[in-house]
Amino acid sequence: MESPAENSSGIKVLDRSIALIDATASGEKTLSELSADTGLPRATTHRLATALEVHQILVRTDNGAWAIGPALARYATLAPSKIIDAAKPIMADLVDTTNESVQLYELTGSSRTCVAAVEPPSGLTHTVPVGSQLPLDRGSAAKVFAAHNLVNAVFTEEELAGVRSTGVAESVAEREVGLASLSTPIYGTNGTVLAVLSISGPAERLRPSPADKWGKALLAAARNLTQAI
């Protein structure tokens, strides 16, 4: 039987949701464990946890358990401008190294949003304007979010396992004809994915493998950004 919350707000669904978050904060929990820890019925636990998953407050792990999602890390430890301010000089250095376009994406509901972009001063480029909302079912940045269980996977498990293993996702003419890209996650202090750093450019310059061409440079930039924030 559910016990009353010590600090009840009087809004039952909110108090129950907070109870689920508190229970998961100590480590991933199965549905049965969440139900037992909170005193909520299994059906209620599943319904609320699934709703919290939609907003990336909770996520499902590979073994089906529930864990704290990236949204809380963003809300609690990182102001929206902080990561952007830290990223811009690192992105500029990456542009100087690659002479390609560089973007930073954050997960925003059912899309990914470009929150920062740096373009090379000249040459053929592919511009992604800041504020652009792009799909989560194609493109290298989408693969990174899917590989870390932040969105429903539409890619093969073999492909996502490769992203987790190497730290880099790539795509050639996948989101847009003639465009290629590679992406890697930016982690917060607790290991959650806060954003995705990407390099994009004409497929003719980055094929056959964008990751082989610029993967080391991208990973080095991501490490610098992770340390900076």
Side-chain angles (χ1 to χ4, degrees), residues 149-170:
N149 302 310
L150 303 182
V151 297
N152 293 328
V154 295
F155 309 99
T156 67
E157 180 51 40
E158 180 180 4
E159 192 171 24
L160 297 181
V163 175
R164 289 189 287 267
S165 174
T166 64
V168 178
E170 64 179 2

Side-chain angles (χ1 to χ4, degrees), residues 83 86-95 97-98 102-105 144 148 166-169 182-189 192-199 214-229:
I83 188 171
K88 284 183 176 178
I90 294 170
M91 293 169 69
D93 288 343
L94 193 55
V95 169
T97 298
T98 65
V102 176
Q103 301 86 32
L104 187 71
Y105 294 99
V144 173
H148 292 274
T166 64
V168 178
L182 61 157
S183 298
T184 194
I186 303 300
Y187 295 102
T189 54
T192 57
V193 175
L194 298 175
V196 171
L197 184 65
S198 300
I199 299 171
W214 294 120
K216 289 182 180 179
L218 179 64
L219 288 171
R223 286 192 295 269
N224 290 338
L225 180 51
T226 294
Q227 292 171 1
I229 60 176

Side-chain angles (χ1 to χ4, degrees), residues 50-159:
T50 301
L52 292 170
E53 182 184 12
V54 171
H55 298 284
Q56 290 92 46
I57 293 174
L58 296 182
V59 295
R60 298 295 291 272
T61 64
D62 289 339
N63 61 4
W66 297 95
I68 292 294
L72 289 183
R74 292 198 298 269
Y75 300 153
T77 66
L78 195 63
S81 62
K82 184 177 180 181
I83 188 171
I84 296 171
D85 290 343
K88 284 183 176 178
I90 294 170
M91 293 169 69
D93 288 343
L94 193 55
V95 169
D96 289 342
T97 298
T98 65
N99 201 38
E100 303 291 358
S101 303
V102 176
Q103 301 86 32
L104 187 71
Y105 294 99
E106 288 186 352
L107 190 62
T108 50
S110 59
S111 64
R112 53 186 168 99
T113 299
C114 178
V115 295
V118 180
E119 304 294 335
S122 62
L124 182 62
T125 64
H126 178 84
T127 301
V128 180
V130 172
S132 298
Q133 292 186 314
L134 302 180
L136 293 171
D137 60 353
R138 54 196 180 276
S140 62
K143 291 176 188 176
V144 173
F145 286 123
H148 292 274
N149 302 310
L150 303 182
V151 297
N152 293 328
V154 295
F155 309 99
T156 67
E157 180 51 40
E158 180 180 4
E159 192 171 24

